[in-house]
Amino acid sequence: MPDTPSSALPRQVADAYVDALVELDPVTGTYLGVRESHALLPDYSPAGQEELAVLARETLARLDESERLPGADAEAERRCARLLRERLTAELAVHEADEGLRTVSNIHSPAHSLRMAFTVTPTDTAEDWAAVAERLRAVPASLDGYRRSLALGLERGLLGGPRATATFVEQLTEWAGGDGAGRGWFEEFAAAGPPELRTELDTAARGATAAVRELRDWMRDVYAPAVKDAPDTVGRERYARWARFHNGTDLDLDEAYAYGWEEYHRLLGEMRKEADKILPGSDPWEALAHLDEHGRHIEGAEETRAWLQNLMDEAIEALDGTHFELAERVRRVESRIAPPGSAAAPYYTGPSEDFSRPGRTWLPVDGETRFPVYDLVSTWYHEGVPGHHLQIAQWVHVADQLSRYQATVGQVSANAEGWALYAERLMDELGFLPDPERRLGYLDAQMMRACRVIIDIGMHVGLDIPADSPFHPGERWTPELAQEFFQRHSSRPAAVVESEMIRYLSMPGQAIGYKLGERAWLLGRERARAAHGDAFDAKKWHMAALSQGSLGLDDLVDELSRL
C-alpha cells in the first residue's frame, strides 16, 4: 500500500486504499478510467486474493490510527470512516471463509469481470487498441489464476453449486465460439481494431479464446463431476455472511423473510386491480401474457436500443430542474446492447471518473427482436434515469466533496439497488406510469423483487413456507419449489427465470437488497419529511441524498433522516 502520512485523516486513508487497489485490480482501474490499467488484468489466484486481503488489513490498521486524529470526527470524515470500516470488514469476512475458492456464477465471477472489462476499455485510438492487445495477451494467465483458486477449493472441499457450474460451462462455450471452430467472443471484439494492429490483435484474441476453451474443458471435465452432489444452497451461516457483504447490515433474516411476504400480498392486490383494467376477470399473469401478444412492442434490437435512449433522455428533461438538479455531465447516459453470452438481466455500468466514458445501460437481446414496452419502461427507470445512473454518476460528480472511495469502489449493493427500486416507485408517484399497461409492468417488477426476498432467504436458509401461503403451505423451500414459485409470479420467459435462479443460488444475499434497500430509502425519506414538516423540499432532499456517497443499510436510514 502506498505510504500515507501519519497525520492522514479517514478520507485520505480511503483514497490511498483506492490507489493501491487499482494496482492489484486493473479491472477496477479500467472502470475508474485509469489509463495504466487498460492493458492489465488481475491475479485471480489464491495468492492474488490474499494480496487484496493484506491490503484491507493494512488499511483498517491505518484507519484505526486516523480516527484518533483531531478532525476525524468531522461529518465528512466520520461518514467515510464508517463506510470504509464496514466494507473492508465485510470483505475480509468473506475472504477468510475462503469464499473466493468457490466463486462460480452465471453473472459474477472473475471470468465475468475479466470479459466485461473489455466492454468498457477505451477503443478510440491505435494506442487504445495496443492496450487491448496487451490485455488480451493477459487473459490466459488471469483465467489460469482463477482455475487454480477453484482447484484449491476442490482440494479443501469448498464447492461451487452444480447448477451454476453447468450454466457457467454453457457460457464459456458460447464465449469460445461454440463447440466447433467458430470465432470466440474475444476474436469478435478484436475484429474492430485498426488494420495496422490486425495481426497482433488477432493473435492475442486467439490466445484468449484458447484460454477460455481450456477453462471450459476443465470446468466440464474436472470441476462439474466433482461438485455434482454438492448443494446449490449455502445454509444460514454462509448466507448471513454474504447478506452482510451485499447489504451492509447484519440482517434479522426471519424478519426480512416476513417482510417479503407482506410485500407479496400487498403487491398482489394492486396487480389484480391493474390486470382487471387490461383484461377483465383475469389474474395479473394472464393479463401480462395478453400484453405479450397484444400490448405495445418495439420491433428490432437497434430500434429498441434507440427507444430506450429516448426514454432516458425524456426522463432527464422532465426531472431536471423539477425533482433533481443535474450537472451537465450527469445528464449524459448511453443505451447499449449487451454483448452475447451475458446473463438475461439488463444492467448498468457507471462513468469513468473524468466522464470521458459515460454511464451506460445494457440490454441483453439473446436473439430476440421484439420487446414489450410494459417490461422496458420501469426497468429503464431502474437501470438508467432516475435510477442507477443518477445515483452513481452523481457520486462521481461530487467525488471531490466525498472521497474517491465513497464515490466508486465503496459501493454497497443494497444501497444502489434500493435507490434504483425507489426510483421506479418515485416515477409511479410522479405520474410517469399513467396507463394500466406500464403500471402493471412496474408492479410485476416490484413483485419480482418481493419474491426474491422470499425465495432467496427461504431456500438458502431452509425456511418453511407459511401456512397461509397460496403456494405449498407448510413445506420447506427447495430450489425447485423456489423456481416454480418464481415462474408462477413472473411474466418472464422460462429461460430468464432459469437465469435468475442461477443468479440467486450463486450470489446469496444479493437479490434481497433491492426490496430491503428500497425500504430503507422510503423510511429515510419519511423520517426526513416528518422532521421538516411543511418545509420538506423533495428536490433538495433527493440531491443531498444522492450526494452523500455509498452507505450500508446500517447507516443509510440514519443519514437520510438527517438531511
Side-chain angles (χ1 to χ4, degrees), residues 207-222:
T209 298
V212 171
R213 289 199 181 104
E214 184 177 346
L215 177 61
R216 187 273 314 275
D217 292 347
W218 184 83
M219 293 294 302
R220 181 193 61 202
D221 300 336
V222 177

Side-chain angles (χ1 to χ4, degrees), residues 277-328:
K277 298 174 186 176
I278 294 168
L279 194 66
S282 68
D283 75 21
W285 290 279
E286 289 172 339
L288 288 165
H290 173 81
L291 292 177
D292 282 333
E293 293 295 324
H294 305 290
R296 187 184 172 200
H297 288 72
I298 311 298
E299 297 286 349
E302 172 56 26
E303 290 78 4
T304 304
R305 185 210 62 77
W307 189 87
L308 291 170
Q309 181 70 58
N310 187 63
L311 182 75
M312 292 190 293
D313 292 343
E314 288 180 346
I316 288 171
E317 289 302 320
L319 296 172
D320 191 14
T322 54
H323 303 285
F324 299 90
E325 289 290 349
L326 304 180
E328 190 59 37

